């Protein structure tokens, strides 16, 4: 291995490299340029738009769920089967088809080549195929709404045996489409993920050493490595479950009597499925969180005009969190029962993961400390993220302990916890990132007034939704229930006031869902009516803001690739002319016009 | 400076300046990509094997008899791996005849391996060992299928390599793809030896 990074023998200036622009594939037709494009930026937009479209469907499903929970019995078209189908599809779409695809396929494709100073991904054709396989997986998944029996209602964790037993909605076609769709998603992602990892390893421009990379790239890179090693577990589980369902093998299916009939299965292990699922499922939390961590570090540093505090620790924390995420999976299975020593091990590793995470939080706060904080829309979302991740992280410490988890496991406390860490936090990071990079993608600014309105209603609204859920959980309100005995639709042991809270949560959910239309309107209208952004509206140091054209053209950097002379966080450097020094400004030229 | 040292650099105090060579691994990018892919494939097979061991612990497990034909198939796969290595070495020595011979023998042996695996399936089915009869059978059919699918993917690369060798007058241009094919076949041979050993031992 001959990786070199020798700051002490660095030279002051070397002529920029004219590199391999002619090696890029240049499309000759409109279809080749905008549909079957091999340009990572177009592929990023395709990923993002597909993910957001399917995410909107999942958002509507969540509103339907809230209508049932807030006002049970009022909406007759929401049957018990439909409700559990909504729960399942909402969860799977949001976690995999929206967040994973958006962070890695969307932001990864757009930002990695630009931020590391590459012309494109190392294998553009494979990158393009990756998107089309993802789209195929999405179509397969959505097709399950139109097959007999509808989509699967197995819950997003797809636990056997009930997943493929008669009586579970979608046990015939819905579950098959879900499993096949997941298998295709994994294949497509692997093709894309290989590209992201190898591009970061091999295609960095001159001077872009690993420790000069922006934290956004570190977050996406590490998350991709995690995903490449975690998704095979989902793939294995999906294949084995498909064989159980179609051919009648007994990998996961135990000997079982269903609706009075003894089925042909014998001796399979549902817990084996749980192990495989959560070996993927827990790293998945960090597959979503690590890119968000990277993005938030970027936003906080840029909009506080201050270098990130503890860059090296931030990098190590990302790597350590990634590593630890592979040895905590069974904390999702405390209620399945396990050897107490295993419970102790998994509780311990779960709590240890709080250490690098806390380091990141401290570093964000210390970056803000005495910074020149600009309360721009991206900064608002970044601060919102830090608040929310602390909240969600703290309840994670509760649930990481076996003795606390067992009584809370099947209640709304868990729903509140994982939505705070896995849904609200990443979504706030996504919004912050969109407001931050939209000017580079389109050349126009998003409308700030609409952005602030969007932030405040979303942020306050989300807390109105998820804070009360903690109380519901502590009261013992069970999750996954459609309705029960009693006029409130809740079990008899739950007080009436819980239903008032439920109705309030539903109203907040409807408001938050509605305000996303303002965001979409802003996105659409600003492409033509937004204020012109220029090349570097935020005064940022990283390479994507140093392109000669905005939006960047095919090949990203024109004739010459940039050379990198410094790290990504030279903000407010004493003696410099501007309060930022781009990474491609050579040593000794800081006092000139850095732009 | 090695990888670990590189990650311990303090970029905010390091001298500002251009680091002349900051690219990643010295190996060629396609080789690094194949390396990453082989890591992923190893995880995939590792997880199947882990599932195999866990499922084995349940009372209904009955080991499947291993057909003697699998020994022959193993020898054929070893031959295909050696042949592709020969092709790769011949490319380095700029010996086009050796390249073609290695490629044809390697590809041919792989096709024979497929036929051999299919015949082994037929033998087991004739003896009543169907995929659904016992989890052990299920694993056998599933693992051999997943392995064969990987090998089939390798054949796609083999077709490209063969076509490139025929189109190009300079054998050096095909050196990389031949080397990648050989590495991939060695990997799948190793996976097969592990799977075969697992079947024999359990």
């Amino acid at each position: 291995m001959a990786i070199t990074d020798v700051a002490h023998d660095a030279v002051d200036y070397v002529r920029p490299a004219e590199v391999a622009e002619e090696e890029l594939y240049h499309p000759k037709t409109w279809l080749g340029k905008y549909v079957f494009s091999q340009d990572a930026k177009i592929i990023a937009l395709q990923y993002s738009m597909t993910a957001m479209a399917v995410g909107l469907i999942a958002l509507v499903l969540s509103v339907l769920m809230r209508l049932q929970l807030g006002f049970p019995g009022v909406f007759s078209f929401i049957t018990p089967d439909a409700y559990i189908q909504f729960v399942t599809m909402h969860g799977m779409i949001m976690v995999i088809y929206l967040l994973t695809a958006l962070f890695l396929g969307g932001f990864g494709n757009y930002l990695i080549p630009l931020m590391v100073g590459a012309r494109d991904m190392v294998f553009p054709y494979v990158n393009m195929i990756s998107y089309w396989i993802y789209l195929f997986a999405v179509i397969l998944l959505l097709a399950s709404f139109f097959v007999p029996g509808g989509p699967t209602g197995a819950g997003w964790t797809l636990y056997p045996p009930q997943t493929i037993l008669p009586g579970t909605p979608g046990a015939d076609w819905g579950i098959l489409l879900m499993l096949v769709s997941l298998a295709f998603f994994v294949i497509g992602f692997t093709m894309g993920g290989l590209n992201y990892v190898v591009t970061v390893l091999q295609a960095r421009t001159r001077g872009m050493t690993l420790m000069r990379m922006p934290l956004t790239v570190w977050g996406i890179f590490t998350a991709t490595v995690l995903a490449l090693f975690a998704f095979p577990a989902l793939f294995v589980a999906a294949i084995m479950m498909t064989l159980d369902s179609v051919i009648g093998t007994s990998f996961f299916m135990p000997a079982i009597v269903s609706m009075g009939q003894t089925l042909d299965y014998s001796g399979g292990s549902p817990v084996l499925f749980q192990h495989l699922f959560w070996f993927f499922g827990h790293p998945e939390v960090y597959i979503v969180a690590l890119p968000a961590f990277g993005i938030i570090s970027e936003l906080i540093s840029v909009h506080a005009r201050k270098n990130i505090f503890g860059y090296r620790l931030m990098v190590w924390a990302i790597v350590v969190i990634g590593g630890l995420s592979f040895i905590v999976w069974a904390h999702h299975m405390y209620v399945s029962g396990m050897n107490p020593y295993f419970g102790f091990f998994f509780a311990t590793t779960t709590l240890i993961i709080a250490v690098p995470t806390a380091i990141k939080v401290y570093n964000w706060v210390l970056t803000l400390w005495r910074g020149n904080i600009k309360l721009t829309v991206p900064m608002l979302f970044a601060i919102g993220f830090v608040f929310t991740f602390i909240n969600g992280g703290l309840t994670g410490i509760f649930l990481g302990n076996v003795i606390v988890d067992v009584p809370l496991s099947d209640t709304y406390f868990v729903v509140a916890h994982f939505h705070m860490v896995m849904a609200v936090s990443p979504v706030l990071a996504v919004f912050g990132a969109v407001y931050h990079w939209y000017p580079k993608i389109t050349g126009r600014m998003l409308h700030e007034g609409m952005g602030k309105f969007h932030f405040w209603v979303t942020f306050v609204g989300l807390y109105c939704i998820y804070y009360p859920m903690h109380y519901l959980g502590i009261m013992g309100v069970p999750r996954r229930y459609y309705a029960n005995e009693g006029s409130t639709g809740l079990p008899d042991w739950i007080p009436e006031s819980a239903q008032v809270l439920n109705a309030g949560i539903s109203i907040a959910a409807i408001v938050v869902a509605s305000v996303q239309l303002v965001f979409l309107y802003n996105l659409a209208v600003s492409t033509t009516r937004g204020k012109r952004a220029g090349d570097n509206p935020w005064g940022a140091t990283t390479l994507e803001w140093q392109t000669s054209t905005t939006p960047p053209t095919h090949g990203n950097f024109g004739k010459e690739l940039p050379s990198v002379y410094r790290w990504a966080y030279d903000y407010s450097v004493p003696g410099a002319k501007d309060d930022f020094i781009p990474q491609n400004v050579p040593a000794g030229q800081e006092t000139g016009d850095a732009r | 400076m090695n990888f670990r040292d590189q990650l311990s650099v303090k970029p905010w105090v390091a001298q500002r300046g251009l680091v002349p060579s900051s690219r990643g691994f010295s190996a060629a990018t396609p080789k690094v990509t194949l390396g990453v892919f082989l890591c992923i494939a190893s995880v995939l097979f590792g997880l199947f094997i882990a599932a195999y061991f866990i499922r084995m612990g349940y009372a209904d497990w009955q080991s499947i008899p291993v057909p003697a034909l699998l020994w022959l198939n193993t020898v054929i796969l070893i031959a295909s791996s050696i042949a592709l290595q020969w092709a790769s070495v011949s490319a380095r020595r700029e010996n086009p005849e050796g390249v073609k011979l290695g490629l044809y023998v390697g590809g041919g042996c792989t096709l024979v391996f497929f036929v051999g695996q299919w015949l082994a399936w037929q033998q087991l089915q004739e003896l009543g060992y169907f995929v659904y009869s016992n989890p052990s059978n299920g694993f056998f059919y599933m693992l051999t299928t997943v392995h064969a699918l990987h090998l089939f993917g390798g054949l796609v690369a083999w077709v490209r390599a063969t076509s490139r060798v025929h189109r190009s007058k300079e054998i050096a241009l095909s050196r990389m793809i031949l080397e990648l094919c050989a590495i991939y076949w060695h990997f799948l041979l190793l996976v097969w030896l592990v799977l075969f050993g697992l079947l024999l031992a359990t």
Side-chain angles (χ1 to χ4, degrees), chain A residues 355-391:
Chain A
V355 176
T357 314
I359 288 173
K360 297 194 79 66
V361 171
Y362 285 126
N363 284 356
W364 288 323
V365 175
L366 288 167
T367 304
L368 288 169
W369 176 253
R370 302 188 72 180
N372 179 13
I373 296 173
K374 317 275 187 196
L375 286 177
T376 56
V377 181
M379 182 58 130
L380 289 175
F381 276 105
I383 294 172
F385 171 92
V386 176
F387 266 99
T388 311
F389 202 80
I390 293 172
N391 271 296

Side-chain angles (χ1 to χ4, degrees), chain B residues 94-161:
Chain B
E94 306 216 343
N95 169 13
E97 295 311 313
V99 168
K100 284 177 188 165
L101 181 68
L103 267 176
Y104 293 147
V105 173
C109 282
T110 307
L111 291 174
V112 174
F113 177 79
F114 282 140
V115 175
Q117 294 291 79
W118 183 75
L119 288 175
W121 277 28
Q122 295 299 111
Q123 285 180 3
L124 284 170
Q125 290 189 7
E126 280 166 19
L127 293 170
Y129 291 96
F130 298 106
V131 64
Y132 50 81
S133 320
N134 193 270
S136 164
N137 307 0
F139 271 106
F140 173 79
Y141 288 105
M142 183 172 64
L143 290 173
T144 48
T145 304
V146 173
H147 179 260
L149 285 174
H150 278 77
L151 211 45
F152 183 78
L155 275 183
V156 175
W158 177 86
V159 169
R160 288 191 63 182

Side-chain angles (χ1 to χ4, degrees), chain B residues 168-183:
Chain B
S168 168
K169 286 179 183 161
E170 274 193 65
I171 207 72
L173 295 175
S174 308
R175 203 180 286 167
M176 175 58 73
I177 193 166
L178 289 169
E179 194 178 345
L180 297 180
C181 277
I183 294 171

Side-chain angles (χ1 to χ4, degrees), chain A residues 3-5 11 202 204 207 266, chain B residues 1 6 17-18 21-22 25 60:
Chain A
I3 292 181
T4 49
D5 179 6
V11 293
Q202 297 294 98
R204 302 192 307 275
S266 68
Chain B
M1 187 179 277
Q6 193 177 156
L18 186 71
S21 171
S22 55
F25 295 90
D60 62 332

Side-chain angles (χ1 to χ4, degrees), chain B residues 75-85 102 105-107 109-110 185:
Chain B
V75 172
I76 291 168
L77 194 60
I78 292 171
S80 75
S81 201
I82 291 171
L84 286 167
Q85 180 66 27
V105 173
C109 282
T110 307
W185 253 259

